[in-house]
Amino acid sequence: MFLKAAINGGRTRAEHPAVPVTAEEIAVDTAAVLAAGADIVHLHVRTPDGGQTIAPDALAEVLRAIRSTAPGAVVGTTTGLWTCSGPEERYDLVKSWEILPDFASVAFCEEGATETAALVVARGMVLESAVWSVDDVPALLASPTLADNVRILIEPMDEDPDTAVDHAREMAAMIRSAGVTVPLLYHGEAATTWPVLRAALADGHQARIGFEDGILLPDGTTARDNAELVATVLNLSGQSV
């Protein structure tokens, strides 16, 4: 199976003391989850006050640390609008990145997604496009970068686990019925994390786990760290889902 580790997102140290925030912590955690069996790593660059940013200097600091600590790691970051003031600033920031991640994710629920996805491709990064609801799928399918995606992220935002799984599968069916053959990746968050992940395994799709999505193991206990979450998924993948 193909597993992405999403190691921090916007999660705070108050929620879990092992959330990697500094460049050095993100680099060490990247190495740890890859050693535990993750294939790639998704990270959010964090500001000193715990916020999230896609500022070029901050991103460069994190990427330098990763490439020193975990040479060969395949890593990507968000382009989410919550990291900046809006679509225009996002475009300018991504355009000014001096050191590039291997891939970048663009959510098609957001204003300016089409332009940002095109910029990611033009700058030589690998593109991942994301849909959060069935309403996002038409914009994704109409995007000129559709064929450039390495994978499509299906991220149901429903709080109810059964509903989230149903919507993930509905989005996948819409994408496949349009003739799109690139890999699909499901992931949930909080209460939907493990049900959606199990659905990904059952449906033969890629999966994601990490502190960005949730801090709990399937039995409801708190994971020690991201590496334990990764190891737990790999153990699940060898069992009946």
Side-chain angles (χ1 to χ4, degrees), residues 71-93:
V74 177
V75 300
T77 193
T78 183
T79 61
L81 285 180
W82 62 87
T83 64
C84 56
S85 64
E88 292 183 359
E89 185 186 21
R90 169 174 64 184
Y91 190 92
D92 290 342
L93 288 170

Side-chain angles (χ1 to χ4, degrees), residues 25 70 120 153 165:
E25 290 165 352
V120 166
L153 313 178
V165 169

